[in-house]
C-alpha cells in the first residue's frame, strides 16, 4: 500500500484499512449519554457493551480492561494503527517499547489520567454499540467498528467504580472522535454538553442539538461562538488562544505573556478550573474587589479561597449575582462564565469561587499550562470540538433548559 504523505489522508486510510468491511453507509451522528460519577467527579460514557468509560479530552486512545470479545482480533505492530496508537505517550510513562518484527503484535501504552500510571496493552479490534441521532432523539442502534487497547486491571484504580477504561477524546487517530468519523463516515467533530448532576449528552459527527423544551430553544449549535483549537508541543491537548481574563468586562492586569506561556487547555479530568499562581492571584483579587462584599466573607473552605455566606449573595436565574469572569479570546470573542459556573455551594451556608490555584507549579513555569479549564466550568455549556476546522464552538445553555434535557426516547 502506498502511504499518502499528509496526516489526515494517512489517518483515514489507516483506519479504513482496519475496517475489513464498512458498515452500511450511515451518515447519522452517534449519540452517547454522559454521566458524572458522584465520587470522583469524572464524566463517563457507556461504550463497549454499555460499560462506562471515563472521557478524557487529553486522551489519545480508547482503552478497556480485556473482555472476551476482543481477544481474537489482535493487530500487528506493523499495522498503521499501531503507529497511531503510539503517536503520544504520557510523559509519566517510561515502559521501554518492544522492538517490532513481522510476528510482533502491537503494544500500546494506555494511561490512567487520574494516577498517570501506564501499562503495556495489546491493540485489538472491537465494536461499540450506540444509537445514531438526528440531534433530537435516538434513531437506531449501530455497531461502530473501532480499535481499542486491551489494558490490565491494574490500570483502573481511582477511576469510578464499575468503569472499564477510558475513552480518549483528543485530536488523535485512535481517539474516539476520529474512529467514529472514519467508521460511520461522519464529520470528525463532536458536541459535549456536561451536566452537573444527572445525565448530559455527547454527539459524534456533525449534528444539530435540541434540548427540551424544543420549541423554546431550537438548534443550540446555532448559538455557538467560535475560537481556534490549537495544538502545542508534542501532546494531544486542546489549547484555546486566550489573551486576557476579564472580570465584569474589565481586563485583569496580568504579567505580560502570562497566558501565552503555558497556554490555556481544556481538561475534563479536573473538576475546578486551575490557574497558575501568577494568573490565579490577580483574578481572585479582581473578583473579590468587583463583588465588593466584604460583609459576606467567611473563612476559606479548601481547596477554595474566596468564600461567602450564601444567604447574603443575591440569586438570579444565572446563579449567584456575582461578577462574570471571561476568557478574552485572541479572535475577538469572549467565553463568559456567570454565577452558576463560577460559584460552588460547599455547604448549606457557604458558596465559594470555584477556581483553584495550581499546586507544585512556580509562577511562569513554562512546563505548566497557565489555565486548565475544568469540567465544572464546562458544565451547562455546549461545546463543539471541530477537529477538521480546528475550531471550538462554545455557548452557555439557556437557563430554561439544561444538558440533561436531551430527549433520550427513541422516535417511533
Ligand atoms: C438506544 O436508545 C434506546 C431508546 O432510548 C435505549 O433504550 C437504548 O439503551 C439505546 N442503546 C444504546 C446502545 O445506547
Ligand atoms: C421525546 O421524544 C418522543 C419521540 O419522538 C416524543 O414522543 C416525546 O413527546 C418527546 N418528549 C417530550 C417531553 O417532548
Amino acid at each position: 500500500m502506498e502511504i499518502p504523505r499528509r496526516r489526515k489522508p494517512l489517518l483515514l486510510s489507516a483506519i479504513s484499512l482496519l475496517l475489513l468491511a464498512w458498515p452500511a453507509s450511515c451518515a447519522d451522528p452517534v449519540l452517547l449519554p454522559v454521566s458524572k460519577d458522584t465520587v470522583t467527579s469524572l464524566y463517563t460514557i457507556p461504550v463497549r457493551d454499555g460499560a462506562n468509560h471515563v472521557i478524557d479530552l487529553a486522551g489519545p486512545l480508547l482503552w478497556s480492561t480485556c473482555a472476551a470479545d476482543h481477544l481474537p482480533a489482535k493487530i500487528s505492530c506493523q499495522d498503521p494503527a499501531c503507529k497511531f496508537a503510539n503517536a503520544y505517550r504520557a510523559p509519566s510513562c517510561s515502559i521501554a517499547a518492544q522492538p517490532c518484527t513481522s510476528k510482533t503484535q502491537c503494544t500500546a501504552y494506555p494511561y490512567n489520567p487520574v494516577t498517570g500510571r501506564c501499562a503495556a496493552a495489546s491493540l485489538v479490534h472491537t465494536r461499540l454499540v450506540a444509537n445514531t441521532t438526528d440531534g433530537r432523539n435516538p434513531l437506531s442502534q449501530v455497531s461502530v467498528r473501532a480499535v481499542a487497547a486491551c489494558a490490565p486491571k491494574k490500570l483502573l484504580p481511582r477511576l469510578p467504580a464499575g468503569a472499564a477504561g477510558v475513552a480518549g477524546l483528543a485530536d488523535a487517530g485512535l481517539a474516539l472522535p476520529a474512529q467514529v468519523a472514519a467508521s460511520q463516515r461522519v464529520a470528525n467533530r463532536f458536541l459535549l454538553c456536561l451536566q452537573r448532576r444527572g445525565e448530559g449528552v455527547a454527539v459524534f459527527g456533525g449534528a444539530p442539538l435540541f434540548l427540551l423544551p424544543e420549541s423554546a430553544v431550537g438548534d443550540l449549535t446555532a448559538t455557538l461562538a467560535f475560537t481556534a483549537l490549537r495544538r502545542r508541543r508534542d501532546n494531544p491537548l486542546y489549547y484555546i488562544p486566550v489573551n486576557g481574563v476579564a472580570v465584569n468586562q474589565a481586563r485583569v492586569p496580568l504579567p505580560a505573556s502570562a497566558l501565552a506561556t503555558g497556554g490555556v487547555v481544556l481538561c475534563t479530568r479536573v473538576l475546578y478550573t486551575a490557574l497558575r499562581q501568577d494568573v490565579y492571584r490577580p483574578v481572585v483579587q479582581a473578583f473579590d474587589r468587583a463583588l465588593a462584599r466584604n460583609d459576606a466573607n467567611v473563612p476559606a473552605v479548601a481547596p477554595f479561597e474566596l468564600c461567602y455566606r450564601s444567604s447574603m449573595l443575591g440569586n438570579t436565574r444565572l446563579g449567584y449575582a456575582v461578577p462574570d469572569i471571561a476568557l478574552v479570546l485572541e479572535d475577538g470573542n469572549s467565553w463568559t462564565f456567570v454565577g452558576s459556573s463560577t460559584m460552588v455551594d460547599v455547604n448549606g451556608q457557604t458558596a465559594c469561587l470555584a477556581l483553584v490555584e495550581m499546586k507544585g507549579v512556580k509562577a511562569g513555569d513554562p512546563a505548566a499550562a497557565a489555565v486548565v479549564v475544568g469540567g465544572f466550568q464546562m458544565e451547562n455549556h455546549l461545546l463543539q470540538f471541530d477537529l477538521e476546522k480546528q475550531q471550538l464552538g462554545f455557548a452557555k445553555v439557556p437557563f430554561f433548559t439544561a444538558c440533561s434535557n436531551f430527549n433520550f426516547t427513541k422516535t417511533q
Side-chain angles (χ1 to χ4, degrees):
M1 189 199 77
E2 192 184 308
I3 307 274
R5 261 179 216 93
R6 282 182 315 160
R7 180 168 157 267
K8 196 154 284 157
L10 173 61
L11 184 162
L12 291 176
S13 67
I15 291 176
S16 58
L17 262 186
L18 301 172
L19 307 173
L20 302 175
W22 288 101
S25 174
C26 170
D28 284 320
V30 171
L31 172 71
L32 288 166
V34 184
S35 305
K36 184 177 177 183
D37 179 61
T38 51
V39 177
T40 60
S41 293
L42 294 169
Y43 306 90
T44 62
I45 54 176
V47 289
R48 312 205 64 201
D49 307 322
N52 277 334
H53 286 62
V54 172
I55 59 172
D56 180 9
L57 281 176
L61 287 176
L62 171 66
W63 65 261
S64 313
T65 46
C66 273
D69 71 313
H70 60 217
L71 286 177
K74 293 197 177 171
I75 291 170
S76 148
C77 68
Q78 292 173 334
D79 192 298
C82 197
K83 200 166 150 198
F84 288 120
N86 286 291
Y88 301 102
R89 181 88 85 90
S92 57
C93 184
S94 57
I95 302 173
Q98 295 175 350
C100 180
T101 71
S102 59
K103 291 197 186 71
T104 319
Q105 279 164 352
C106 181
T107 301
Y109 299 89
Y111 74 100
N112 177 319
V114 182
T115 60
R117 245 187 110 158
C118 69
S122 43
L123 202 64
V124 297
H125 289 287
T126 186
R127 285 170 178 277
L128 317 174
V129 179
N131 283 310
T132 58
T133 183
D134 56 1
R136 288 188 161 87
N137 295 92
L139 294 178
S140 56
Q141 191 162 299
V142 280
S143 169
V144 180
R145 286 165 177 270
V147 168
C150 179
K153 284 208 171 65
K154 68 174 187 202
L155 215 52
L156 291 178
R158 294 180 60 192
L159 297 187
V166 170
L169 299 184
D171 184 7
L174 293 187
L176 199 55
Q179 294 215 58
V180 175
S183 195
Q184 292 300 108
R185 303 195 205 179
V186 291
N188 190 1
R189 183 197 298 173
F190 64 100
L191 291 171
L192 206 53
C193 197
L194 301 175
Q195 179 70 23
R196 191 150 301 163
R197 288 172 213 92
E199 207 164 72
V201 59
V203 178
F204 295 84
L209 188 78
F210 296 87
L211 298 174
L212 298 168
E214 210 180 287
S215 52
V217 189
D219 172 13
L220 280 181
T221 63
T223 68
L224 294 171
F226 295 96
T227 189
L229 269 181
R230 300 245 168 95
R231 301 276 298 268
R232 278 198 179 194
R233 299 181 211 118
D234 217 11
N235 72 44
L237 301 176
Y238 292 116
Y239 288 84
I240 53 173
V242 177
N243 65 14
V245 177
V247 171
N248 272 354
Q249 278 104 58
R251 279 293 187 111
V252 176
L254 294 177
S257 74
L259 292 165
T261 311
V264 176
V265 304
L266 306 183
C267 186
T268 46
R269 71 184 190 231
V270 306
L271 185 56
Y272 300 107
T273 295
L275 295 89
R276 204 179 49 212
Q277 188 195 27
D278 54 321
V279 179
Y280 176 82
R281 194 63 34 217
V283 169
V284 166
Q285 279 166 3
F287 181 88
D288 197 34
R289 207 170 299 136
L291 179 58
R293 289 299 305 272
N294 284 344
D295 58 322
N297 269 130
V298 296
V301 178
F304 308 112
E305 181 176 327
L306 278 188
C307 297
Y308 304 90
R309 187 172 308 285
S310 40
S311 60
M312 291 178 72
L313 297 176
N315 254 298
T316 74
R317 291 182 300 199
L318 303 178
Y320 289 110
V322 295
D324 291 347
I325 301 180
L327 296 176
V328 182
L329 298 156
E330 210 175 276
D331 25 25
N333 289 319
S334 284
W335 184 3
T336 301
F337 301 90
V338 297
S340 55
S341 297
T342 56
M343 300 295 288
V344 59
D345 285 306
V346 292
N347 59 45
Q349 292 85 46
T350 313
C352 300
L353 177 63
L355 299 177
V356 298
E357 184 175 346
M358 270 178 212
K359 294 279 174 274
V361 169
K362 290 210 184 67
D365 180 350
V371 177
V372 178
V373 180
F376 185 87
Q377 272 75 29
M378 289 187 241
E379 288 168 352
N380 300 320
H381 286 85
L382 177 64
L383 299 179
Q384 182 186 68
F385 294 81
D386 190 327
L387 309 185
E388 290 169 10
K389 292 190 188 152
Q390 296 289 309
Q391 204 177 50
L392 176 76
F394 58 91
K396 195 183 138 25
V397 171
F399 69 88
F400 47 84
T401 183
C403 294
S404 55
N405 281 6
F406 188 83
N407 187 344
F408 277 103
T409 306
K410 224 170 221 172
T411 308
Q412 291 313 311

